[in-house]
Amino acid sequence: MSTDETTTVVVKPKPVKKLKPARKQVKAGDVERKETPQTGKEYNIWYNKWAGGDREDNYSNKVKSQTRCNIKKDSGLTRANTTGIRYCCLFYARGCCPYGWECDYLHTLPDPDDALPDSSKDCFARDKFSDYRDDMGGVGSFNRQNRTLYVGRIKETGPGPETEEIVTRHFKEWGEIERIRVLQYRSVAFVTYVSEFGAQFAKEAMACQSLDNDEILNVRWATEDPNPVQKVAEKRRLEEIGQEAIKARMDPRIVDAMRAVRALEDGDMLDDEGEVVEEPEFGETGDPEPKRRRIELPPPQEAASEPPPQPLGLLSADTMEGLKYFAEIRKRNGVSLGVINSKTVPPKPLTSGLGVADYGSDEED
């Protein structure tokens, strides 16, 4: 006699790694502050440069960043974890926060599933604007959810796949990447993150940084993708996000009631969990075929065998039936059809056509 023994394997969840207090990324005096070389007479605070300097001078004045954030080493607990502030530290993203665990902002990557209290601010609590700057820099716009970064001035030392691997290795540290597109021989790459927060963090973390060839990157917001397929996909994604957000805020009882009303209109049956019940129906082959159960409506009444009366002249069949009905009532009540009021005009004989000219008031002579 043999017995079947089943062994149940219990998989223990991985313990959540506790964060340690955040370390100070730099010490006072480690970062040398350099003023922007003056190329004009007025300083434009919107573009953070001197007015009057042309574009080439602006690029040539770029200096490589002295610090860079290291997520594994620099992440940790700060005062924000106690006070409940959900915004990240801007200087932590740039790798130059001197406060460490004493900082009032988070020293971790932004959580893509955690909604910020104000949608008009980025993950660093900076106010967005209604439109982008002409150079696509700055904080960004609150009228568009931009998840794509433009990465320029890349030094290409190999084919396109090799450059794509280098860009992926450096940019995946700041969040989950959806896709990367490298324009070979143009020193340009487009990096699209799954979350907008990842793009916001990566833009500040990789500004004026280098990849593997000691270049100085130009990281900006990407313009809207002209590909119609991507436009449709992005629109569908935003609609799904909106539906999920509305569903999360609605009362579950209202959702169940709306689902029940829709099922009643469609003639479907719902189970206790609100799902449509499908009952098997045996077809011609004898195999059960799934089919939704619908409300059976009574069969329509059979039409009378007599053909419908045809209209005679200008009067329809319904009008003729009505005249016959009133004539029968007058006959039963003893009212003669020949009694005519003396104040009324005797009727004129019918003529061909509609007789529109014969219509008039009773007071006409």
Side-chain angles (χ1 to χ4, degrees):
M1 181 177 182
S2 62
T3 59
D4 296 336
E5 296 181 358
T6 58
T7 305
T8 304
V9 179
V10 179
V11 179
K12 295 182 179 180
K14 295 182 180 179
V16 179
K17 185 178 180 181
K18 295 183 178 180
L19 292 176
K20 58 183 179 180
R23 72 184 186 98
K24 298 180 179 180
Q25 294 175 307
V26 295
K27 296 180 181 179
D30 288 352
V31 180
E32 182 181 358
R33 183 179 179 85
K34 296 182 180 180
E35 298 293 339
T36 306
Q38 184 173 350
T39 57
K41 295 181 179 181
E42 296 179 357
Y43 188 79
N44 192 325
I45 61 175
W46 176 251
Y47 291 97
N48 296 321
K49 67 178 183 178
W50 289 95
D54 57 7
R55 187 171 182 178
E56 296 300 329
D57 291 340
N58 185 33
Y59 284 169
S60 62
N61 290 330
K62 291 293 184 181
V63 180
K64 183 179 177 180
S65 178
Q66 304 176 45
T67 59
R68 178 168 175 171
C69 178
N70 190 327
I71 297 297
K72 294 182 179 179
K73 294 182 180 181
D74 298 338
S75 297
L77 299 174
T78 60
R79 291 178 179 177
N81 297 100
T82 305
T83 58
I85 295 179
R86 302 180 184 178
Y87 297 103
C88 298
C89 177
L90 177 62
F91 300 100
Y92 158 73
R94 295 174 178 174
C96 58
C97 181
Y99 298 106
W101 62 272
E102 297 178 345
C103 185
D104 293 330
Y105 293 90
L106 296 174
H107 276 211
T108 55
L109 288 175
D111 188 359
D113 298 329
D114 190 9
L116 296 179
D118 190 354
S119 59
S120 64
K121 298 179 181 292
D122 65 351
C123 64
F124 303 108
R126 299 180 300 179
D127 292 327
K128 295 182 180 180
F129 299 93
S130 60
D131 200 359
Y132 289 94
R133 295 188 338 192
D134 292 341
D135 61 353
M136 298 302 292
V139 180
S141 172
F142 55 77
N143 290 325
R144 175 187 166 203
Q145 190 182 65
N146 200 339
R147 301 177 295 123
T148 305
L149 296 178
Y150 165 90
V151 184
R153 288 182 284 177
I154 301 174
K155 288 185 180 179
E156 301 182 57
T157 58
E162 181 179 345
T163 305
E164 182 176 346
E165 188 275 330
I166 295 174
V167 174
T168 304
R169 176 160 40 87
H170 284 270
F171 277 84
K172 70 179 182 180
E173 185 179 0
W174 321 113
E176 185 179 356
I177 296 177
E178 182 176 303
R179 65 180 181 274
I180 291 181
R181 181 187 177 191
V182 176
L183 303 183
Q184 195 174 7
Y185 308 122
R186 295 184 60 180
S187 303
V188 172
F190 293 93
V191 182
T192 302
Y193 285 87
V194 175
S195 172
E196 185 183 15
F197 298 151
Q200 294 172 359
F201 196 95
K203 180 179 177 297
E204 297 296 334
M206 295 301 295
C208 296
Q209 299 289 347
S210 61
L211 299 180
D212 289 352
N213 302 305
D214 199 27
E215 64 268 56
I216 302 177
L217 297 178
N218 177 26
V219 184
R220 293 288 183 266
W221 293 110
T223 56
E224 188 176 2
D225 194 346
N227 188 355
V229 178
Q230 293 298 330
K231 287 184 178 181
V232 174
E234 182 67 13
K235 182 180 179 181
R236 187 184 302 111
R237 188 186 70 87
L238 294 178
E239 290 177 352
E240 292 176 355
I241 293 176
Q243 292 176 1
E244 292 296 332
I246 294 174
K247 185 177 179 180
R249 293 180 176 270
M250 288 182 63
D251 190 346
R253 295 174 297 179
I254 298 178
V255 177
D256 295 339
M258 294 176 61
R259 188 178 300 171
V261 171
R262 183 174 299 177
L264 182 60
E265 293 176 351
D266 296 340
D268 298 331
M269 301 296 295
L270 301 180
D271 56 8
D272 296 337
E273 298 181 357
E275 300 295 336
V276 178
V277 178
E278 296 183 356
E279 295 186 356
E281 181 179 349
F282 294 92
E284 298 178 356
T285 58
D287 298 332
E289 298 179 355
K291 183 179 180 182
R292 292 184 177 181
R293 182 179 177 183
R294 296 187 177 274
I295 299 177
E296 297 293 338
L297 298 177
Q301 297 180 356
E302 296 182 359
S305 58
E306 298 180 359
Q310 298 295 331
L312 300 175
L314 296 176
L315 301 180
S316 62
D318 295 337
T319 306
M320 296 297 297
E321 292 293 333
L323 292 176
K324 292 179 180 180
Y325 175 73
F326 284 110
E328 185 67 22
I329 293 178
R330 287 186 177 186
K331 185 183 296 185
R332 290 182 182 182
N333 294 335
V335 180
S336 175
L337 295 177
V339 178
I340 301 176
N341 193 350
S342 59
K343 294 184 179 180
T344 60
V345 180
K348 297 181 179 180
L350 294 177
T351 59
S352 60
L354 296 177
V356 179
D358 298 336
Y359 289 169
S361 62
D362 294 340
E363 285 77 17
E364 289 182 354
D365 294 334

